Structure formats: C-alpha cells, structure tokens
Amino acid sequence: MERHLLPQRRRRSREIALQLLYTLDLRPDELPASVLGTFPMDSEDPEVVRYAKELVFGVWSERVAIDTLIRTYIVNWRPERMVVVDRVAVRMALYEGSVAKTTPLAVAISEAVELAKVFGTEESGRFVNGVLGRIVRALEGLGADGDEGERKKRDEGVPEDTSHGE
C-alpha cells in the first residue's frame, strides 16, 4: 500500500513546491522559510511536507546554476522570458532529475509537464516539454565525461592527441 501512495504524495509535494517557488520567484527578497510559513500545510501528510520543503530549498539554492544550464542549452531564450510557472516547473525538473537526482529524469520531466498544464498557460505543457527535451538531449550529447569536444572526436573517429605537447 505504501508503494502505491508514494507517486500521489510526490505529486502533491511538487504542487506545493511549485506554488511556493512561484511566490519566491515573484518576491526574490523573501527567504524560503518565510514563504513556507504562508502555505497552509497543517492537513498535509508529513512526507508530503518534507519533500515539498526539500524541493523548495533545493531548487531555490540551485536556481542560478539551473538558470545557467537553461541559458547554455536554450539558444536565444532566457529564463527571465519564461512564464513564471513554466520557469519554476523547468527548474524543479532539472533539480530533481539532474542536480539532486532524487527522481529519474524522465519522471521529473513528465511531472513538470503535467504541473505546467495544470498551473500554467494553454501552451505551458508543450513549452516545458520542449525546453526540457532540448536540455536533456544536449546533456546526453556531452557523454559521461561532460566534454562535448572529446565526444565529437570519438564519434568522428579523430584520434586522441597522445603527443603530450612534444
């Protein structure tokens, strides 16, 4: 039974976290702890609250690095131009799936798309899916070592430089 309830609890945690991160995004001078106090969580399952807090504090503390990732792989598009809900959903998916690695990336993306559909605009689901898909494809293209140039050399059959500067 516990296993069956976990996805619903995680979904509820993400809904709460999305709303709190939305508030923080609009009021960047606020601290996550103060914003958490504004959300009525007395009737929520303690596990839901725990994971929501983990997401809020984690995403908020890593938002600059996550936004840099977005800027790096989404050409001619800045996070500041995104609808706030879309930006928060993308940040949460990248945090859960790539930074904290608490959730498989495919699941994090699917959850972000669903949240964007519920809380965002008519186009939010497709937009979030497209942004995350593009970033994931770019990251996968880097390979395990994270070096795109070395990956291209291997793929193109270019031999590695073994001269060591001699």
Side-chain angles (χ1 to χ4, degrees):
M1 185 80 173
E2 178 75 5
R3 198 173 176 89
H4 176 70
L5 293 175
L6 186 60
Q8 289 89 3
R9 283 194 260 174
R10 285 279 171 114
R11 168 76 52 95
R12 181 64 184 143
S13 296
R14 290 182 187 105
E15 290 173 352
I16 293 168
L18 180 92
Q19 293 173 68
L20 292 167
L21 288 163
Y22 180 94
T23 302
L24 281 168
D25 202 87
L26 294 178
R27 295 191 254 162
D29 293 335
E30 292 279 339
L31 295 173
S34 66
V35 172
L36 280 165
T38 66
F39 198 91
M41 291 194 258
D42 295 341
S43 63
E44 298 291 346
D45 180 292
E47 182 63 21
V48 167
V49 173
R50 184 200 61 75
Y51 194 64
K53 287 179 179 180
E54 182 180 320
L55 286 174
V56 169
F57 283 100
V59 171
W60 195 247
S61 68
E62 296 293 334
R63 75 187 179 286
V64 173
I66 293 168
D67 287 356
T68 298
L69 188 65
I70 296 167
R71 281 186 190 87
T72 300
Y73 295 109
I74 306 300
V75 180
N76 297 324
W77 197 263
R78 296 181 323 274
E80 300 82 30
R81 291 184 59 203
M82 292 181 185
V83 171
V84 176
V85 168
D86 298 358
R87 180 172 51 242
V88 170
V90 167
R91 283 177 179 163
M92 278 182 24
L94 291 172
Y95 175 78
E96 277 190 286
S98 291
V99 176
K101 297 183 181 187
T102 56
T103 303
L105 191 53
V107 173
I109 291 170
S110 177
E111 289 292 316
V113 168
E114 290 305 311
L115 287 171
K117 286 179 182 177
V118 171
F119 292 98
T121 68
E122 189 175 310
E123 299 298 316
S124 288
R126 278 187 296 237
F127 179 78
V128 167
N129 190 53
V131 167
L132 289 168
R134 188 174 223 174
I135 291 170
V136 168
R137 283 189 300 278
L139 291 174
E140 287 173 348
L142 292 176
D145 60 6
D147 187 345
E148 187 172 18
E150 289 302 314
R151 183 202 50 84
K152 284 182 181 176
K153 286 180 188 176
R154 284 191 306 272
D155 290 352
E156 296 169 1
V158 177
E160 290 183 16
D161 181 8
T162 57
S163 66
H164 303 290
E166 297 171 6

